[in-house]
Amino acid sequence: KSSLTKTKKNIVERVESILLGRSIDESVIDDIEEVLITSDVGTEATNEIITLLREKIKVGEIKNSEDVRSYLKTEMALLLGKPQPLIPFGEKPFVILAVGVNGVGKTTTIGKLASRFISEGNSVILAAADTFRAAAIEQLEIWAKRSGADIIKHQSGSDPAAVAFDAVEAAKARGVDIVIIDTAGRLHTKSQLMDELKKINRVIKKSIPDAPQEILLIVDATTGQNALRQAQIFNEAIGITGIALTKLDGTAKGGIIFAIKKELGIPVRLIGVGEGVDDLKDFDPEDFVAALFD
Ligand code: GDP
């Protein structure tokens, strides 16, 4: 809860100070609109919230500050929709292809996820398919040890698609429940990176036609609108099925979660709220909004 303190300050507490001692008129609506826009909620979500607010004021459904506040809480929760957690389904192995640019917390998120799945009684293989950086393989090994997952790795510089393929084949042979594939976050060019991810995706399907069942994009909440742009780019290139939004602790830009939902419609499945192994939570819209408003 406390991990959202800065976002709460940036959105809800600013709205509260606008409402303080003012009657509900057009200038109040404008000021609220400005808060939403400048707190990364995004133009589409903001327009939806403000348009309905204006209508409700007009017909007398919203009369005072308290009405505005409770309207915002309800409307923002509605906007985020129902929880859509990452739950493995179907025949095993359940394959998660983890993608995202460097530094967003991809390796950490993979490690936290592996640790969670293992504590729930699943077996997990991590695939070190970011062969571009030797340090990435080492970092993933540390998380494999820490979580008790197996790791499939090749030499640094080898073909990432081959690593992914081997990991999925190994999982099939060993009856492993879950495979999480780490991928590069940066190559020489953006199109090279996307081509590599497409190839990994294709090669996985040669082993299991329905896999990867999840293409999970990891984005960093502290980057605000950049997180949204990254999600657009990755989604256009390879099709994202879910998002993990990291570093929500300590950022005022948590409003970006509304923009992601409204503008992309891709479910935010997980949120990162710290560096520790337990600091990855299922994203629950109701809890999220409650943490902002209560
Ligand atoms: P990668 O380059 O995307 O693999 O990023 P890393 O997993 O190496 O993470 C980069 C940094 O972000 C590390 O210092 C992590 O501990 C930190 N980090 C990752 N997730 C979170 C989070 O949810 N909250 C905080 N505060 N830090 C995080």
Side-chain angles (χ1 to χ4, degrees):
K1 221 174 194 180
S2 59
S3 60
L4 291 176
T5 308
K6 286 191 184 161
T7 298
K8 179 185 168 104
K9 275 207 174 76
N10 195 26
I11 305 178
V12 179
E13 293 181 13
R14 275 167 72 206
V15 167
E16 283 166 346
S17 67
I18 285 167
L19 292 171
L20 213 63
R22 283 172 65 183
S23 54
I24 308 305
D25 57 15
E26 197 54 37
S27 78
V28 166
I29 300 175
D30 285 348
D31 289 351
I32 293 172
E33 183 171 23
E34 194 189 321
V35 167
L36 296 178
I37 290 287
T38 58
S39 61
D40 291 285
V41 168
T43 49
E44 287 185 29
T46 299
N47 283 344
E48 186 170 315
I49 293 166
I50 293 298
T51 304
L52 193 57
L53 173 64
R54 199 171 267 129
E55 271 169 33
K56 284 180 182 279
I57 291 170
K58 204 170 151 194
V59 300
E61 236 178 272
I62 290 176
K63 298 188 188 70
N64 55 40
S65 310
E66 197 39 54
D67 295 343
V68 174
R69 197 180 183 285
S70 72
Y71 159 78
L72 287 176
K73 185 180 170 187
T74 308
E75 186 58 24
M76 288 171 93
L78 277 176
L79 218 147
L80 290 177
K82 297 255 175 299
Q84 292 179 270
L86 181 55
I87 300 170
F89 60 85
E91 276 176 49
K92 56 187 188 181
F94 183 79
V95 180
I96 301 167
L97 183 62
V99 302
V101 306
N102 286 345
V104 294
K106 186 168 52 198
T107 314
T108 309
T109 301
I110 291 169
K112 290 169 174 175
L113 256 185
S115 176
R116 177 212 284 203
F117 284 134
I118 285 169
S119 72
E120 290 169 350
N122 297 289
S123 49
V124 176
I125 286 182
L126 301 182
D130 178 0
T131 61
F132 194 67
R133 293 183 307 144
I137 303 175
E138 285 162 26
Q139 213 195 340
L140 197 69
E141 270 185 307
I142 294 171
W143 274 108
K145 282 211 183 79
R146 194 179 289 166
S147 62
D150 284 336
I151 185 165
I152 299 290
K153 55 169 185 164
H154 292 182
Q155 269 175 355
S156 154
S158 63
D159 180 1
V163 179
F165 183 80
D166 282 2
V168 175
E169 286 287 304
K172 275 183 0 189
R174 300 177 198 167
V176 165
D177 299 305
I178 294 160
V179 180
I180 311 177
I181 300 167
D182 186 24
T183 60
R186 198 193 137 71
L187 293 181
H188 297 298
T189 66
K190 190 176 85 189
S191 70
Q192 264 182 345
L193 175 61
M194 296 306 165
D195 286 347
E196 178 169 300
L197 295 176
K198 285 178 197 165
K199 182 178 170 192
I200 293 172
N201 199 12
R202 269 199 317 273
V203 169
I204 294 169
K205 289 186 196 307
K206 289 196 197 300
S207 177
I208 304 177
D210 293 341
Q213 292 88 340
E214 177 81 3
I215 301 182
L216 184 70
L217 173 71
I218 295 95
V219 289
D220 175 347
T222 65
T223 66
Q225 297 299 315
N226 272 337
L228 183 70
R229 265 192 293 280
Q230 285 164 19
Q232 274 158 341
I233 291 167
F234 277 88
N235 194 40
E236 274 164 27
I238 53 163
I240 302 304
T241 58
I243 288 177
L245 184 63
T246 64
K247 309 188 200 178
L248 267 176
D249 55 302
T251 182
K253 299 188 178 185
I256 195 66
I257 209 160
F258 297 96
I260 289 172
K261 171 71 187 173
K262 184 68 193 165
E263 290 177 38
L264 301 177
I266 302 167
V268 174
R269 301 202 189 279
L270 299 153
I271 54 174
V273 293
E275 295 185 277
V277 67
D278 294 325
D279 294 327
L280 184 72
K281 311 283 182 203
D282 285 335
F283 172 56
D284 184 318
E286 216 171 299
D287 286 355
F288 185 86
V289 171
L292 296 183
F293 281 85
D294 297 344

